Amino acid sequence: MSDFRESIDIDRSPEDVWDYVVDSSHLPDWQASAVSAEPLTEGPVGVGSRVRVVRHIGRRDIPMTMEYTEYDPPHAWALQGVDGPIRGHVHGEIDPIDDGRHSRLTIELDFEGKGIGKVLLPLVVRPQIRKELPHNERTLKERLEHGVT
């Protein structure tokens, strides 16, 4: 069981949702805490590819490296934090609905704190994510359904 799990229906095909969600350059556009994101691995994205994400957590911008541990287009992906005080475990699934004309996006998040992250996790990170995850999914839905991609 994950710490957080949210689903939302999006009026776009699974392929459209996939293309937008796994493109790290879009993270700051739909995730409130994402300040920046850039791929660290050249070439096509797949299992083992890494992304450097800077997130605003509490009052600080915290850089972290995420590595793909699952990459199954256009259905599922997973990322694992490999450094930083807060290490996220993200799992996303995109299920076709209405004969593939629409999608149901489900995102699950777990976290592990290292060092100061053990303090930040219950006091700052979990309360922030509890508010942010549903907001992020609504923002993503809005961007995808209204052509702001």
Side-chain angles (χ1 to χ4, degrees):
M1 187 71 176
S2 58
D3 290 343
F4 301 95
R5 179 185 170 100
E6 290 286 332
S7 294
I8 195 164
D9 292 351
I10 300 174
D11 187 18
R12 293 288 290 266
S13 71
E15 293 79 12
D16 289 346
V17 175
W18 174 269
D19 289 343
Y20 192 81
V21 168
V22 299
D23 182 342
S24 61
S25 70
H26 293 301
L27 285 179
D29 298 333
W30 67 277
Q31 293 186 7
S33 67
V35 175
S36 65
E38 63 178 314
L40 295 177
T41 310
E42 292 188 28
V45 175
V47 172
S49 295
R50 290 186 171 200
V51 177
R52 184 70 156 175
V53 181
V54 177
R55 292 200 177 273
H56 190 78
I57 299 173
R59 297 181 183 169
R60 298 180 55 203
D61 288 348
I62 299 176
M64 56 192 70
T65 303
M66 303 292 290
E67 182 175 310
Y68 279 95
T69 57
E70 180 181 359
Y71 196 82
D72 180 20
H75 176 66
W77 76 99
L79 292 150
Q80 166 72 46
V82 297
D83 64 7
I86 305 294
R87 298 185 188 180
H89 311 271
V90 180
H91 183 260
E93 287 189 13
I94 303 168
D95 294 308
I97 52 177
D98 195 23
D99 293 324
R101 290 186 296 273
H102 303 95
S103 304
R104 176 163 296 128
L105 171 68
T106 302
I107 297 177
E108 297 179 84
L109 300 170
D110 290 309
F111 297 94
E112 178 183 4
K114 299 285 187 180
I116 190 69
K118 290 179 182 179
V119 175
L120 291 174
L121 196 54
L123 297 176
V124 179
V125 176
R126 284 194 174 107
Q128 181 174 327
I129 294 301
R130 190 169 290 111
K131 294 176 188 174
E132 184 178 318
L133 184 56
H135 169 78
N136 289 348
E137 285 192 344
R138 287 189 307 271
T139 300
L140 178 65
K141 176 181 174 74
E142 181 74 19
R143 293 188 74 79
L144 285 169
E145 289 183 354
H146 297 289
V148 188
T149 54

